[in-house]
Amino acid sequence: MHAWPASEVPALPGEGRDLRIHDTATGGLVTLDPGPVARIYVCGITPYDATHMGHAATYNAFDLVQRVWLDTKRQVHYVQNVTDVDDPLLERAQRDDVDWVELAEQETALFREDMTALRMLPPRHYIGAVEAIPGIVPLVERLRDLGAAYELDGDVYFSVESDPHFGEVSRLDAAAMRLLSAERGGDPDRPGKKNPLDPMLWMAARDGEPSWDGGSLGRGRPGWHIECVAIALDHLGMGFEVQGGGSDLAFPHHEMGASHAQVLTGEFPMAKAYVHAGMVALDGEKMSKSKGNLVFVSRLRRDGVDPAAIRLALLAHHYRSDWEWTDRVLQEAGERLDRWRAAVSRPDGPSADGLVEEIRDALADDLNAPAALAAVDRWVALQQEHGGEDTGAPGLASRAVDALLGVAL
Ligand code: 5CA
Ligand code: ZN
């Protein structure tokens, strides 16, 4: 699948910082020290009802990770998937009486447009679940051969007990896992499973649903977690730096994915940090496709909202906090954007050397974007109140905001 075009990332003077970031698996901050290539896998959309502000906020967080690493002159191998076949997508297509392939293509196209408008750097590999099926089948076969998978009425399940590290990503107790499993695509109550939490690896073909050749597994389609594992292992291998997504993916998705990968390879851990963005709410409830309480990036763009203002609205919240989207959030972001643009359009100003360092420090400290915005606000206030003689300053401030925060002034 093709991704979307990259906006240019200006080079900045001085040195970037190593990223310290919160890891769900340890519950604390880890300083990542990648080699010349930093590797990150971020879970992509299930392509319907995209791109809402919750999606945008989560991809904004991982875009910052990429920008921090690029600032250290590392290459970034960023992989993202598109869950272009899964129950919720098929259900939506059926509800709306549209072809599921067309729905997925249209929504993925819209997502690409939104990501481009928001200046999110594209992944190096953008891979759909359907195109990953030939790589998924042998992994499920291998899990079965290892005794880590079993069959139930033609469907193949992963045995969570096969991974001694199962539970170490989300660190939840069994009762909490069971509840979340039922809420988030699992089937803990299905009779005949070895452990209620065991997730499906391969679903045997159902009448009226799409299916693919699964070799010795028979016709069917892949489970959700193995999709991301197959894509991540294929393009990144084990021990990559960051597995990313919203906090609703910590369990079961990232927990199960890590277990699949660890049993398949015999290596531990799959990722050095499991990084989770907080949930964006609307009217007091998590913005979600199933509830339908959504604000879309494309809708705001159509209404003439500057994508840079949308991006500033996202950046005004720490990625780990849960927060609420309101008109006021967007209005304040628009006002901030106007102030910043006025400040960098002057021919000179106060030195911006310190500003570059402050933005770097803020982002390297668990992606503290609000602190980075506050640093820019201070430089802008100085510019407004006192001005300055440095003719390079407005350009440098503008390049720093572009390179590190993805906002074009
Ligand atoms: N295709 C799977 C991942 S493999 C999936 O979860 N798709 S999704 O379209 O439902 O979500 C895409 C990303 O947006 C996920 O990382 C998810 O955690 C995140 N996300 C969904 N809703 C919100 C929200 N309200 N706030 C923040 N992030 C959200
Ligand atoms: Zn995923």
Side-chain angles (χ1 to χ4, degrees):
M1 223 174 238
H2 67 284
W4 55 91
S7 50
E8 219 180 296
V9 182
L12 298 173
E15 301 258 315
R17 308 275 187 283
D18 279 340
L19 176 63
R20 209 160 66 109
I21 197 152
H22 186 269
D23 168 32
T24 303
T26 52
L29 296 172
V30 291
T31 301
L32 296 171
D33 180 23
V37 176
R39 296 168 297 164
I40 175 168
Y41 184 92
V42 179
C43 283
I45 54 163
T46 303
Y48 69 99
D49 279 352
T51 312
H52 63 62
M53 280 313 148
H55 298 142
T58 289
Y59 296 112
N60 178 58
F62 297 102
D63 189 65
L64 297 179
V65 171
Q66 183 161 197
R67 288 172 185 278
V68 170
W69 281 335
L70 290 175
D71 187 41
T72 63
K73 310 283 185 288
R74 289 181 172 97
Q75 274 190 50
V76 180
H77 286 194
Y78 176 11
V79 180
Q80 191 181 123
N81 68 306
V82 187
T83 307
D84 58 0
V85 62
D86 201 7
D87 295 340
L89 173 72
L90 298 174
E91 282 159 19
R92 175 56 64 92
Q94 192 168 27
R95 188 198 84 178
D96 294 352
D97 198 20
V98 293
D99 178 54
W100 66 274
V101 176
E102 262 171 49
L103 174 63
E105 279 175 1
Q106 276 166 15
E107 293 284 315
T108 306
L110 189 60
F111 178 72
R112 287 190 189 98
E113 279 174 29
D114 291 334
M115 291 296 106
T116 309
L118 293 173
R119 290 174 88 78
M120 305 282 184
L121 296 169
R124 190 182 154 95
H125 299 283
Y126 193 47
I127 312 284
V130 171
E131 62 183 322
I133 290 174
I136 293 172
V137 170
L139 296 189
V140 178
E141 289 173 329
R142 188 165 358 139
L143 285 170
R144 189 192 51 196
D145 295 347
L146 288 167
Y150 60 93
E151 203 187 301
L152 184 59
D153 300 332
D155 300 328
V156 182
Y157 280 89
F158 176 73
S159 178
V160 294
E161 273 137 40
S162 63
D163 177 23
H165 295 287
F166 176 74
E168 292 181 16
V169 172
S170 61
R171 297 175 301 127
L172 297 170
D173 61 37
M177 286 187 188
R178 196 181 165 125
L179 269 175
L180 288 176
S181 162
E183 265 175 40
R184 298 176 180 167
D187 54 3
D189 297 321
R190 180 169 176 178
K193 289 171 67 173
K194 288 189 182 163
N195 183 313
L197 299 174
D198 291 345
M200 215 184 265
L201 290 164
W202 187 257
M203 181 194 268
R206 308 286 201 260
D207 279 348
E209 287 191 0
S211 63
W212 289 264
D213 177 15
S216 69
L217 309 171
R219 284 195 76 78
R221 61 182 163 96
W224 174 29
H225 321 303
I226 193 70
E227 163 197 342
C228 284
V229 169
I231 297 169
L233 292 183
D234 190 20
H235 294 283
L236 298 176
M238 282 298 273
F240 53 90
E241 274 68 36
V242 168
Q243 158 77 82
S247 58
D248 57 343
L249 297 190
F251 191 88
H253 188 49
H254 291 167
E255 187 75 67
M256 297 299 177
S259 279
H260 292 354
Q262 284 152 193
V263 173
L264 276 165
T265 62
E267 292 171 38
F268 175 85
M270 180 183 78
K272 299 199 174 88
Y274 296 86
V275 179
H276 294 111
M279 290 291 114
V280 180
L282 183 72
D283 303 328
E285 279 204 88
K286 174 193 160 188
M287 217 180 260
S288 80
K289 299 186 276 207
S290 43
K291 291 199 199 89
N293 56 338
L294 305 172
V295 174
F296 293 105
V297 173
S298 53
R299 178 62 208 263
L300 294 179
R301 291 200 289 123
R302 251 202 330 269
D303 291 348
V305 176
D306 190 326
I310 302 175
R311 181 105 193 208
L312 274 185
L314 305 173
L315 289 162
H317 302 84
H318 191 272
Y319 81 96
R320 274 207 286 139
S321 54
D322 297 330
W323 56 281
E324 170 112 11
W325 178 266
T326 60
D327 291 344
R328 193 182 158 80
V329 164
L330 182 59
Q331 191 196 328
E332 284 175 1
E335 289 164 6
R336 176 178 257 145
L337 183 63
D338 291 343
R339 284 197 305 277
W340 287 15
R341 283 194 170 143
V344 299
S345 67
R346 307 235 302 242
D348 49 24
S351 165
D353 297 348
L355 172 61
V356 176
E357 302 310 321
E358 282 182 86
I359 300 176
R360 280 180 166 144
D361 286 340
L363 292 183
D365 180 15
D366 200 22
L367 305 177
N368 194 344
L373 299 199
V376 182
D377 284 342
R378 284 193 296 274
W379 181 85
V380 166
L382 264 183
Q383 169 73 308
Q384 280 170 341
E385 285 156 29
H386 307 288
E389 259 84 82
D390 186 341
T391 52
L396 179 57
S398 173
R399 283 196 300 282
V401 167
D402 187 358
L404 296 170
L405 299 171
V407 176
L409 293 179

